[in-house]
């Protein structure tokens, strides 16, 4: 029963706050002998498992450490290429730690902006006008809840079809507000109330702080503290939600 | 703590009068400060009052009078619509807590809008929910009128005109 993380996206789509509250670290460390029965391949800046799932090592897991020393992207701690190192029988037996890689802050920024755009598209695809946008995204391992405020300084304009000569194509302007996004365990209840509570905490500790500029990254201690408290309260309430 | 707010506000206006000679400057300054407060206060209002989105100007004016004023100043002005087009409203305040300790404006400050901060706050808050409005004092008890009246005129959104062509 856990809340994994909280993201706050500003009206322009930029990430202004992020908190990783609970990360289910499923690291597995094992000793291997040559030849390695897992198939590894490079992906982005990491070496990931492509095939050969076993014993807790899943496809998609990245190489986190070799012989106790953390790898640096595709290079080992001493600067050698990981795949080369693991291809050399002289280096075996070797102990490798696999696990899901943590998102870097750049990746989080990009993903938050992408979500913002998807949210806008979602509101426009709605067959009814005045859609609230994406409120929940459900997967088998987590649920993403999103709450958008009514306020907003900018308007996202999107032309739904290219201009036909003479006719006026329909365009929809979507008022963008601040979005509070919470990723939680699928069984966790009371996230709606939690989102409202986060909005209250934002208005109390971020907006009322005279030194906080709107739309900028939130760096307020009080906001952090109160947010963590609110998350703990919501988690303790468990699958029945608060107040039961 | 209401008294502290009223006293602080009074001290603020007094200081502004010392800083600026012209009444218009003081009024503009108060309005701007109110605007900066309003753009933040709106989120606080929405977070704590959990009201639904307003669908019309009159609903918005009612919301401001009955919920917002009540929440922040403890008074409930009455709302009246003063135009056929339905976009001009006035809020009539019988009791204005901000002027509790003020009898009347000094002679040399005859055109000072003492509570202009309120106008700025309403304007800023409305702008953040995408409603452009002009907010001014129509009547002011401090200037000798019978009641204090704040006029809100909702302006036509500029974006509609921009997209007229193609």
């Amino acid at each position: 029963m856990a809340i994994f993380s909280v993201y706050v996206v500003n009206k322009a789509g930029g990430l202004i706050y992020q908190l990783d509250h609970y990360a289910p670290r499923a690291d597995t460390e094992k000793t291997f002998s040559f030849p390695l029965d897992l198939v590894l391949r490079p992906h982005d800046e990491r070496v990931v498992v492509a095939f050969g799932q076993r014993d807790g090592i899943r496809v998609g897991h990245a190489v986190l450490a070799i012989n106790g020393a953390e790898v640096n992207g595709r290079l080992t701690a001493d600067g050698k290429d990981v795949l080369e190192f693991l291809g050399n029988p002289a280096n075996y037996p070797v102990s490798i730690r696999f696990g899901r890689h943590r998102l870097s802050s750049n990746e989080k920024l990009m993903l938050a902006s992408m979500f913002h755009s998807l949210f806008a598209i979602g509101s426009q695809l709605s067959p009814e006008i005045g859609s609230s946008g994406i409120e929940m995204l459900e997967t088998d391992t987590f649920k993403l809840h999103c709450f958008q405020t009514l306020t907003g300084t900018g308007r996202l304009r999107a032309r739904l079809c290219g201009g036909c000569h003479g006719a006026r194509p329909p365009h929809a302007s979507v008022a963008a507000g601040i979005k509070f996004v919470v990723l939680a365990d699928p069984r966790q209840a009371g996230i709606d109330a939690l989102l409202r509570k986060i909005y209250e905490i934002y208005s109390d500790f971020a907006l009322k702080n005279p030194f906080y500029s709107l739309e900028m990254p939130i760096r307020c201690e009080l906001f952090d503290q109160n947010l963590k408290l609110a998350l703990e309260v919501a988690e303790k309430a468990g699958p029945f939600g608060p107040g039961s | 703590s209401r008294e502290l707010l009223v006293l602080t506000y009074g001290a603020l206006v007094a200081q502004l009068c010392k800083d600026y000679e012209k009444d218009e400057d003081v009024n503009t300054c108060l309005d701007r400060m109110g605007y900066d407060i309003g753009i933040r206060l709106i989120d606080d209002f929405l977070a704590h009052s959990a009201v639904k989105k307003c669908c019309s100007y009159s609903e918005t004016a009612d919301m401001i009078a009955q919920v917002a004023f009540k929440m922040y100043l403890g008074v409930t002005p009455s709302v009246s619509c003063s135009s056929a087009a339905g976009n001009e409203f006035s809020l009539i305040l019988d009791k204005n807590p901000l002027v509790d300790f003020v009898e009347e404006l000094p002679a040399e400050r005859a055109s000072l809008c003492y509570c202009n901060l309120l106008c700025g706050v309403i304007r800023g808050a409305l702008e953040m929910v995408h409603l452009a409005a002009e907010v001014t004092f129509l009547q002011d008890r401090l200037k000798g009128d019978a009641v204090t009246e704040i006029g809100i005129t909702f302006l036509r959104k500029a974006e509609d005109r921009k997209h007229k062509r193609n």
Side-chain angles (χ1 to χ4, degrees):
Chain A
M1 227 30 57
I3 295 171
F4 300 134
S5 47
V6 178
Y7 293 77
V8 182
V9 182
N10 72 8
K11 295 149 192 176
L15 186 66
I16 57 174
Y17 184 79
Q18 199 279 317
L19 175 71
D20 281 325
H21 183 68
Y22 170 74
R25 294 304 284 158
D27 288 356
T28 333
E29 183 149 17
K30 282 211 148 19
T31 315
F32 298 91
S33 55
F34 193 80
L36 200 57
D37 52 357
L38 302 163
V39 177
L40 299 174
R41 64 177 175 90
H43 176 73
D44 281 347
E45 288 305 311
R46 279 171 274 270
V47 177
V48 298
V49 176
F51 199 76
Q53 195 160 290
R54 62 167 221 180
D55 293 341
I57 302 170
R58 316 275 300 268
V59 168
H61 276 195
V63 173
L64 297 178
I66 293 186
N67 290 333
E70 294 219 351
V71 303
N72 190 353
R74 286 207 230 158
L75 305 173
T76 63
D78 350 325
K80 295 203 261 299
D81 185 66
V82 167
L83 290 169
E84 253 180 63
F85 184 87
L86 295 174
N88 184 352
N91 295 319
Y92 285 79
V94 73
S95 146
I96 316 179
R97 181 153 54 99
F98 291 93
R100 276 209 73 206
H101 65 87
R102 277 225 175 86
L103 287 172
S104 71
S105 16
N106 263 351
E107 284 173 334
K108 287 177 188 166
L109 272 164
M110 280 195 311
L111 293 172
S113 312
M114 266 200 264
F115 180 73
H116 170 84
S117 313
L118 289 175
F119 186 100
I121 295 173
S123 328
Q124 303 210 24
L125 286 175
S126 164
E128 305 266 333
I129 43 166
S131 158
S132 72
I134 299 175
E135 285 187 354
M136 186 174 52
L137 202 121
E138 188 169 352
T139 73
D140 53 353
T141 47
F142 74 93
K143 260 192 197 171
L144 179 150
H145 301 254
C146 178
F147 170 64
Q148 178 175 262
T149 66
L150 292 172
T151 58
T153 42
R155 302 192 83 126
L156 254 172
R157 258 172 272 268
R159 298 268 287 278
L160 290 179
C161 60
C164 328
H165 183 69
R168 180 176 157 190
H171 75 277
S173 50
V174 177
I178 294 237
K179 284 182 259 300
F180 298 99
V181 179
V182 170
L183 270 67
D185 192 287
R187 292 157 297 170
Q188 180 76 38
I191 301 286
D192 268 344
L194 175 66
L195 284 168
R196 301 276 179 288
K197 183 91 184 101
I198 298 180
Y199 188 25
E200 270 179 41
I201 296 175
Y202 167 74
S203 76
D204 281 338
F205 299 105
L207 289 184
K208 289 184 186 159
N209 182 344
F211 301 113
Y212 167 67
S213 335
L214 289 183
E215 311 293 290
M216 289 291 118
I218 302 176
R219 303 228 181 287
C220 312
E221 267 288 334
L222 287 172
F223 179 78
D224 277 335
Q225 285 168 10
N226 282 277
L227 181 62
K228 287 186 183 132
L229 267 172
L231 290 179
E232 273 159 34
V233 166
E235 274 185 329
K236 277 202 188 69
F240 307 105
S244 62
Chain B
S1 80
R2 169 76 53 77
E3 259 199 32
L4 185 57
L5 166 69
V6 178
L7 289 170
T8 309
Y9 187 71
L12 172 73
V13 178
Q15 185 61 47
L16 283 175
C17 288
K18 280 200 202 105
D19 292 340
Y20 296 101
E21 279 205 11
K22 295 218 214 121
D23 291 343
E24 294 86 61
D25 290 339
V26 180
N27 289 341
T28 317
C29 199
L30 281 172
D31 186 75
R32 207 183 27 215
M33 284 199 266
Y35 177 80
D36 288 335
I37 295 175
I39 57 179
R40 294 174 184 237
L41 201 70
I42 179 67
D43 271 314
D44 181 75
F45 172 68
L46 290 172
H48 288 100
S49 66
V51 293
K52 292 275 172 299
K53 195 166 172 176
C54 290
C55 304
S56 68
Y57 291 143
S58 68
E59 240 184 278
T60 315
D62 283 335
M63 191 73 71
I64 296 175
Q66 285 154 15
V67 190
F69 263 86
K70 187 113 201 318
M71 197 190 268
Y72 293 114
L73 287 175
V75 293
T76 313
S78 50
V79 186
S80 65
C81 178
S82 50
S83 86
N87 64 333
E88 281 177 32
F89 295 87
S90 30
L91 304 173
I92 302 179
L93 283 149
D94 296 321
K95 207 172 93 64
N96 184 355
L98 288 178
V99 304
D100 270 350
F101 303 127
V102 183
E103 295 169 349
E104 54 177 30
L105 294 173
E108 66 272 14
R109 292 280 175 196
S111 56
L112 176 70
C113 291
Y114 187 81
C115 296
N116 218 23
L117 194 90
L118 289 181
C119 293
V121 171
I122 298 174
R123 186 170 63 89
L126 285 173
E127 192 170 304
M128 289 299 271
V129 283
H130 314 288
L131 291 170
E134 266 173 25
V135 189
T136 48
F137 270 95
L138 299 174
Q139 292 189 71
D140 196 347
R141 210 176 240 153
L142 286 179
K143 293 189 187 148
D145 298 317
V147 291
T148 307
E149 190 180 339
I150 302 178
I152 306 178
T153 308
F154 291 100
L155 305 168
R156 180 143 284 280
K157 297 181 198 153
E159 288 104 315
D160 290 350
R161 263 183 276 127
K162 251 193 259 165
H163 281 261
K164 235 179 129 85
R165 198 203 99 77
N166 128 8

